[in-house]
Amino acid sequence: LDKRDRDMKIAVFDLGGGTFDISILELGDGVFEVKSTNGDTHLGGDDFDKVIISWLASEFKAEVPSMDLLKDPMALQRLKEAAEKAKIELSSSNETEINLPYITAVDGVPKHLVKKLSRSKFEQLADDLVKRTLKPCEAALKDAGYTKNDIDEVILVGGSTRIPKIQQVVEEFFGKKPSKGVNPDEVVAIGASIQGGVLTGEVKDVLLLDVTPLSLGIETLGGVFTKLIESNTTIPSKKSEVFSTAADNQPSVEIHILQGERSMAKDNRSIGRFVLDGIPPARRGVPQIEVTFDIDANGILHVAAKDKGTGKEQSIRIEASTGLSDDEIQKMRDEAKANEEADKVAREKIDKLNRADGLVFETEKQLAEYGDKLSDGIKQPIQDALNSLKEAHKNEDLAGIDTAMEQLNQAWQNASQEMYAAQQSAEAEPNAAADTEASTDDVEFEEVDNK
């Protein structure tokens, strides 16, 4: 950033494991000036884990009313580990399965916990936590004397900023996409090492390192290209993510490495593949396969896959991972841009299902909050449309989802008109009551005079 030929205002959004901090900086002539800081010392990744833990415990209690997993230390520890794993998986997939066999025993009978958690459901559970990040941002901007439009760059720091909803909210708040040029887990250590070099005199100027010209990632279920290292990431860089199996008792996984910017794997360039076998039989979603991409300053890519259960590992070394001329790189970027709309269609089904799930959540929340203010004639169409949307979502009926969402939106428009009309009537009634009381007082006063 300090190599750019203009002064810049930067927002550093730092959401770590236990705390949240937002800093507003001004950069000019190589000097970083902190204009304001704010945050929440009781908000972090652990809180996102807790909402999953609470949800799992409540779901289990609904099935086994006599058992509260939150009061069982051993079960609670397993819930914590599963919740963190699920949270991480939902950053790169739309659904994850939480499978905890023999979580507890009731009257000597073992009980198992198997639940599926979608990304949209997780976002609903964490809705309040996400909103809590915005007030400190508003306060920091106010203290710095800036508006959202003044910010030139937003930098994400901390592992919890990998949560897609956090990235979405940050983008909506500041009106621009956060910078992808730094690794949220490593940025603090990198900055500290640079500062150490400056203090010892070894670093005379900040060095601009090379960047990855195209995104690097692997093929995942459904032929989707899942990026691990985004394009224009400064190298050297290292990124790890945990994946799992797509079928029960899957004995091996194929790691197919690609580079490019398209959404589907088949449209990107294959640069290598290898197989990790010897995975013990288990239900889908249970094995934890950690895939690590490590690209050094020379552009040599090391990809490793490790079964965290057995410790078995396979790896591949890819020299000149780009292997493309500048013209070829630009051609791939142009193709990605030209096919952007077509690529979106490939993911339309999942996105629409998530939107429907989110609308169901919002509608149920609004009905709980405003339902008593609506007449039965207005409330019933909302409930009918909601039930239709639930059914269409369950059957993955995309046309039915569109119809139900349109009906639900129309029903809510009618409800809004009724609520506003009721509010206006409520405001008018006290005035009418006051006029009536004044008139009655006058009559009584006149009667007294006559006496």
Side-chain angles (χ1 to χ4, degrees), residues 16 45 86 127 151 193 213 225 235 252 267 293 302 376 412-413:
D127 190 48
I151 300 300
S193 63
F225 176 48
I235 58 174
S252 64
D267 299 319
F293 272 50
H302 300 264
D376 291 339
W412 268 116
Q413 288 178 14

Side-chain angles (χ1 to χ4, degrees), residues 210-216 229-235 259-261 295 299 321-326 328-330 332-333:
D210 198 2
V211 296
T212 55
L214 295 167
S215 297
L216 298 166
I229 296 181
E230 297 275 358
S231 62
N232 295 322
T233 297
T234 303
I235 58 174
Q259 66 176 172
E261 304 302 327
I295 184 167
S321 58
T322 301
L324 298 171
S325 66
D326 290 344
E328 289 173 320
I329 292 171
Q330 189 58 46
M332 292 184 72
R333 288 174 176 164

Side-chain angles (χ1 to χ4, degrees), residues 375-388:
S375 63
D376 291 339
I378 292 292
K379 189 175 180 180
Q380 192 58 45
I382 296 176
Q383 192 63 55
D384 292 342
L386 177 62
N387 292 335
S388 298

Side-chain angles (χ1 to χ4, degrees), residues 5 24 47-48 53 71 87 91 95 99 102 113 128-129 147 172 191 227 235 244 255 300 327 333 375 399 408:
D5 296 326
I24 308 297
D47 297 287
F48 288 83
I53 293 169
K71 296 180 179 178
K87 177 188 69 176
S91 291
E95 187 178 75
N99 190 333
Y102 306 102
L113 175 60
D128 291 339
L129 297 176
T147 65
E172 291 172 353
K227 299 175 183 177
I235 58 174
S244 193
I255 308 298
I300 298 174
D327 290 341
R333 288 174 176 164
S375 63
L408 193 55

Side-chain angles (χ1 to χ4, degrees), residues 376-414:
D376 291 339
I378 292 292
K379 189 175 180 180
Q380 192 58 45
I382 296 176
Q383 192 63 55
D384 292 342
L386 177 62
N387 292 335
S388 298
L389 183 58
K390 285 182 176 178
E391 187 65 26
H393 179 268
K394 180 181 177 183
N395 297 327
E396 298 187 358
D397 177 6
L398 300 187
I401 286 175
D402 286 336
T403 303
M405 288 175 73
E406 188 175 340
Q407 292 173 346
L408 193 55
N409 288 331
Q410 183 60 49
W412 268 116
Q413 288 178 14
N414 297 333

Side-chain angles (χ1 to χ4, degrees), residues 205-269:
D205 195 6
V206 178
L207 179 65
L208 252 182
L209 298 174
D210 198 2
V211 296
T212 55
L214 295 167
S215 297
L216 298 166
I218 63 172
E219 180 179 357
T220 53
L221 183 64
V224 172
F225 176 48
T226 299
K227 299 175 183 177
L228 272 83
I229 296 181
E230 297 275 358
S231 62
N232 295 322
T233 297
T234 303
I235 58 174
S237 180
K238 186 176 182 179
K239 172 81 179 290
S240 296
E241 279 194 28
V242 177
F243 298 89
S244 193
T245 50
D248 291 342
N249 303 318
Q250 186 173 328
S252 64
V253 291
E254 182 181 56
I255 308 298
H256 184 198
I257 306 143
L258 307 112
Q259 66 176 172
E261 304 302 327
R262 303 286 295 276
S263 297
M264 306 306 292
K266 63 182 178 62
D267 299 319
N268 293 296
R269 179 172 180 261

Side-chain angles (χ1 to χ4, degrees), residues 75-301:
L76 181 58
Q77 181 58 35
R78 293 183 66 190
L79 284 181
K80 288 179 179 178
E81 294 170 357
E84 184 178 10
K85 174 176 174 285
K87 177 188 69 176
I88 293 170
E89 287 183 357
L90 289 175
S91 291
S92 57
S93 61
N94 289 291
E95 187 178 75
T96 184
E97 184 177 75
I98 299 166
N99 190 333
L100 296 173
Y102 306 102
I103 187 68
T104 189
V106 178
D107 297 330
V109 179
K111 296 292 180 181
H112 314 296
L113 175 60
V114 181
K115 290 290 173 185
K116 284 190 175 182
L117 179 61
S118 67
R119 180 185 292 178
S120 57
K121 179 63 179 177
F122 170 56
E123 290 174 353
Q124 293 165 19
L125 295 173
D127 190 48
D128 291 339
L129 297 176
V130 174
K131 289 178 180 176
R132 278 173 57 187
T133 64
L134 299 181
K135 282 190 177 180
C137 292
E138 293 171 348
L141 284 171
K142 184 178 179 181
D143 292 343
Y146 296 154
T147 65
K148 300 173 187 177
N149 295 332
D150 293 331
I151 300 300
D152 300 304
E153 197 85 43
V154 182
I155 296 176
L156 300 180
V157 179
S160 297
T161 59
R162 298 187 190 282
I163 298 173
K165 186 67 174 178
I166 291 292
Q167 297 179 5
Q168 177 191 333
V169 167
V170 171
E171 181 180 345
E172 291 172 353
F173 180 83
F174 288 100
K176 54 180 63 66
K177 284 186 177 292
S179 171
K180 299 285 187 179
V182 293
N183 185 320
D185 297 322
E186 299 175 357
V187 61
V188 174
I190 292 172
S193 63
I194 292 173
Q195 180 66 3
V198 171
L199 293 174
T200 59
E202 293 180 16
V203 177
K204 302 297 182 184
D205 195 6
V206 178
L207 179 65
L208 252 182
L209 298 174
D210 198 2
V211 296
T212 55
L214 295 167
S215 297
L216 298 166
I218 63 172
E219 180 179 357
T220 53
L221 183 64
V224 172
F225 176 48
T226 299
K227 299 175 183 177
L228 272 83
I229 296 181
E230 297 275 358
S231 62
N232 295 322
T233 297
T234 303
I235 58 174
S237 180
K238 186 176 182 179
K239 172 81 179 290
S240 296
E241 279 194 28
V242 177
F243 298 89
S244 193
T245 50
D248 291 342
N249 303 318
Q250 186 173 328
S252 64
V253 291
E254 182 181 56
I255 308 298
H256 184 198
I257 306 143
L258 307 112
Q259 66 176 172
E261 304 302 327
R262 303 286 295 276
S263 297
M264 306 306 292
K266 63 182 178 62
D267 299 319
N268 293 296
R269 179 172 180 261
S270 175
I271 57 174
R273 63 175 76 214
F274 64 93
V275 174
L276 175 64
D277 54 16
I279 300 173
R283 295 194 62 178
R284 60 172 291 186
V286 174
Q288 294 187 50
I289 312 299
E290 184 179 45
V291 178
T292 301
F293 272 50
D294 188 353
I295 184 167
D296 64 22
N298 296 316
I300 298 174
L301 176 65

